Amino acid sequence: MGVMVADFPNLFTIVGPNTGSGHYSILFMAECNIEFSLRLMKPFLKSGKPGSIEVKEEAEKRDVDWVQERLKQYIWHNSEETGWYVDKKTGHNGTVYPHFQFHYMFKTLIPRWNDFILHGVSKPKPFRVILIVLALLGILIAWLLVATKIFKA
């Protein structure tokens, strides 16, 4: 997801590959990546034990393939005029994310713990993750209800 790179344990990036935006602020993406990084570090911080975390190579490849496939639908990947996003030799776009930033935010809310190798601590319990997701959905629904009332007034 542009936050970690396989074979580089404990390396977190704030603005990594395919976290740029062709239509909005990079600061939002950076904030999502910082929050996601902190979620990944949380088991270590809670336990107080040293250790490491790294993304699995197959998870990284799956994400890169997904992003590259989606990018083929958009102008910044296919247009000759906006070709600065695409490496002319490889056809790889390592710059922009292929969806709206809210999509990226939701993608970074809950780590897919099976995509990571943790050394020194155990992975969080799935039940806790479900509670977090439900809480975040509740917050989003409340925000949408308030926002629609504000704009109607």
Side-chain angles (χ1 to χ4, degrees):
M1 255 189 305
V3 177
M4 296 188 80
V5 181
D7 298 323
F8 287 89
N10 294 343
L11 174 68
F12 298 90
T13 62
I14 295 174
V15 182
N18 294 107
T19 58
S21 174
H23 57 282
Y24 205 64
S25 170
I26 190 66
L27 295 177
F28 183 79
M29 302 296 262
E31 288 172 356
C32 289
N33 288 345
I34 291 168
E35 290 291 329
F36 186 70
S37 298
L38 291 171
R39 286 183 192 94
L40 292 173
M41 292 179 214
K42 193 170 185 173
F44 299 98
L45 297 173
K46 283 182 95 174
S47 74
K49 297 178 184 175
S52 66
I53 183 170
E54 58 186 297
V55 66
K56 293 179 181 176
E57 201 168 320
E58 60 268 18
E60 179 184 45
K61 182 181 179 340
R62 183 185 64 236
D63 188 64
V64 169
D65 291 347
W66 179 86
V67 167
Q68 294 305 309
E69 191 59 36
R70 293 293 183 277
L71 284 170
K72 290 177 184 175
Q73 305 169 22
Y74 298 100
I75 190 166
W76 53 72
H77 189 80
N78 293 318
S79 174
E80 290 297 320
E81 290 123 23
T82 57
W84 60 79
Y85 288 124
V86 179
D87 183 321
K88 300 289 186 211
K89 293 178 185 173
T90 64
H92 183 84
N93 180 333
T95 308
V96 294
Y97 185 72
H99 285 287
F100 292 106
Q101 290 188 323
F102 278 106
H103 183 272
Y104 190 80
M105 180 189 75
F106 285 119
K107 201 172 171 189
T108 59
L109 279 178
I110 306 296
R112 295 172 66 175
W113 290 105
N114 290 333
D115 289 350
F116 298 93
I117 302 166
L118 280 73
H119 300 281
V121 296
S122 58
K123 295 177 183 177
K125 306 282 185 252
F127 181 71
R128 255 183 92 79
V129 172
I130 291 169
L131 288 177
I132 292 168
V133 169
L134 291 174
L136 291 171
L137 284 173
I139 291 168
L140 177 65
I141 290 168
W143 179 81
L144 288 171
L145 290 172
V146 169
T148 55
K149 286 183 182 181
I150 290 171
F151 290 118
K152 284 183 181 179

